[in-house]
Amino acid sequence: MQNIAPVQLRQVRDFGQIVNDTFRFLRQNGRTLFGAIAATCIPLALLAGFLVGKTVGDFQQMLVRSRFDGLGDLSGLGLALLGYLGILLVYVQLLAMVNEYIRAYHLGEHHGMRTGDLWRRGASQWPTYFGIAFLTGVITVVGALLCVLPGIWAAIALSLVYVCHAIERTGASDSLTRSYKLIQDRWWETFGLLIVVGLIQAVITMALMLPLTVVSFIVGFNTTFTGFENGDMDGGVGWLSTYTAISTMAQTALNMLTYPIIMVAMALKYFTLVEEKEGAGLRQRLEGFEQA
């Protein structure tokens, strides 16, 4: 079988090339990258997803049974909040690990990298990535509260903040400025790229979730029909909590494994914009020729 050439990050790519090279990069580096994600992110994602799903499922059961009596029935809310906090933390760790791997790849330091190495690289930059996520979230939410469109505009304009810090070590606040300047006159094409890769990620996640969805539908339908037929309301809806917990666990874990599609695509967009506007890669190659 013919060997596939490694992806060169510093080059200008059009829309289609970015999408194609995203999957080529993930195929070439998936063993290290996804292995580290599975070992360090998935366990916490499963636990957090279970806490959120179980609480939501219990709430759904209360609504169906018409036994919602006020705040006393929301005793599990604390577990849901703990679950959402866990999901936030694991997403920040995912962002740190993937972008730090891209940095290592860019510097040629990824060869022989193991899960522990990538974990330590991500952990060393975790506070900065958390700060970036916090600032980006605040700006996007404020924009959405003022009007939906400013929130969308801000989310796209700041979509390169993580890779900016990973490659240039610009820090939290400067990464926001750097991302804005790079996307300043490329907003619509960046928006289109995010829509496409986001849809691809969503379709892959739904396809992987399909077997669980089908089985759960069959089991849930049979359980509900049998319970109601026998006049057993509890038996008719008792599956809701279990199903929601399991499906939320699976959804959260699968999102961990498919979200790198978006991150790698945005990293390639970053290198494309840097090359178009600054020609950094070309300048480096010319300097190499002069030294030779």
Side-chain angles (χ1 to χ4, degrees):
M1 184 175 66
Q2 185 178 5
N3 292 328
I4 302 176
V7 174
Q8 300 297 320
L9 296 180
R10 282 198 179 277
Q11 69 180 63
V12 176
R13 293 175 170 86
D14 60 24
F15 189 96
Q17 289 173 327
I18 290 177
V19 175
N20 290 335
D21 283 352
T22 293
F23 289 96
R24 188 156 66 96
F25 181 90
L26 291 173
R27 285 196 302 270
Q28 293 175 356
N29 301 275
R31 183 174 182 179
T32 300
L33 195 54
F34 291 119
I37 293 172
T40 62
C41 295
I42 297 301
L44 179 56
L46 289 172
L47 176 59
F50 174 80
L51 293 177
V52 173
K54 185 66 169 59
T55 304
V56 172
D58 290 342
F59 181 74
Q60 290 174 333
Q61 285 187 188
M62 286 189 293
L63 292 181
V64 174
R65 292 167 176 167
S66 300
R67 295 178 181 174
F68 182 67
D69 299 322
L71 294 178
D73 287 329
L74 296 179
S75 57
L77 183 60
L79 291 178
L81 293 176
L82 185 62
Y84 281 118
L85 177 61
I87 291 174
L88 171 63
L89 296 179
V90 77
Y91 262 106
V92 173
Q93 178 61 25
L94 178 69
L95 288 167
M97 287 177 56
V98 174
N99 283 284
E100 287 304 302
Y101 183 83
I102 293 172
R103 173 182 173 83
Y105 185 93
H106 170 63
L107 298 175
E109 300 172 354
H110 64 294
H111 301 289
M113 181 176 288
R114 299 182 179 182
T115 295
D117 301 325
L118 187 52
W119 165 262
R120 285 187 289 272
R121 283 176 177 262
S124 67
Q125 294 295 317
W126 197 94
T128 304
Y129 283 103
F130 182 83
I132 292 173
F134 176 78
L135 291 175
T136 304
V138 169
I139 293 173
T140 303
V141 169
V142 170
L145 291 176
L146 294 175
C147 183
V148 175
L149 292 179
I152 297 175
W153 180 89
I156 304 303
L158 302 178
S159 59
L160 301 181
V161 287
Y162 302 105
V163 68
C164 284
H165 172 71
I167 302 302
E168 303 179 17
R169 286 294 187 258
T170 45
S173 59
D174 289 341
S175 294
L176 272 67
T177 302
R178 177 65 166 157
S179 177
Y180 168 76
K181 289 182 178 179
L182 286 173
I183 297 179
Q184 191 170 16
D185 54 349
R186 298 288 195 277
W187 191 93
W188 281 108
E189 62 187 57
T190 306
F191 174 74
L193 177 63
L194 273 171
I195 291 294
V196 170
V197 295
L199 286 174
I200 292 174
Q201 186 244 354
V203 169
I204 293 175
T205 303
M206 287 188 293
L208 294 174
M209 281 285 295
L210 185 60
L212 176 62
T213 303
V214 172
V215 171
S216 299
F217 175 79
I218 295 173
V219 173
F221 178 80
N222 290 334
T223 302
T224 303
F225 181 79
T226 302
F228 288 167
E229 189 177 50
N230 297 330
D232 181 10
M233 175 67 76
D234 289 344
V237 298
W239 62 276
L240 272 175
S241 180
T242 302
Y243 163 72
T244 306
I246 294 175
S247 63
T248 305
M249 286 173 60
Q251 182 80 41
T252 305
L254 289 175
N255 280 333
M256 293 287 122
L257 295 173
T258 57
Y259 197 68
I261 295 173
I262 297 177
M263 287 187 277
V264 172
M266 298 317 297
L268 295 180
K269 183 62 178 177
Y270 160 83
F271 283 107
T272 293
L273 292 176
V274 169
E275 288 301 302
E276 286 180 347
K277 296 188 174 187
E278 301 170 3
L282 177 60
R283 188 165 56 250
Q284 288 181 355
R285 288 191 291 271
L286 291 175
E287 291 174 354
F289 288 138
E290 292 176 355
Q291 293 175 0

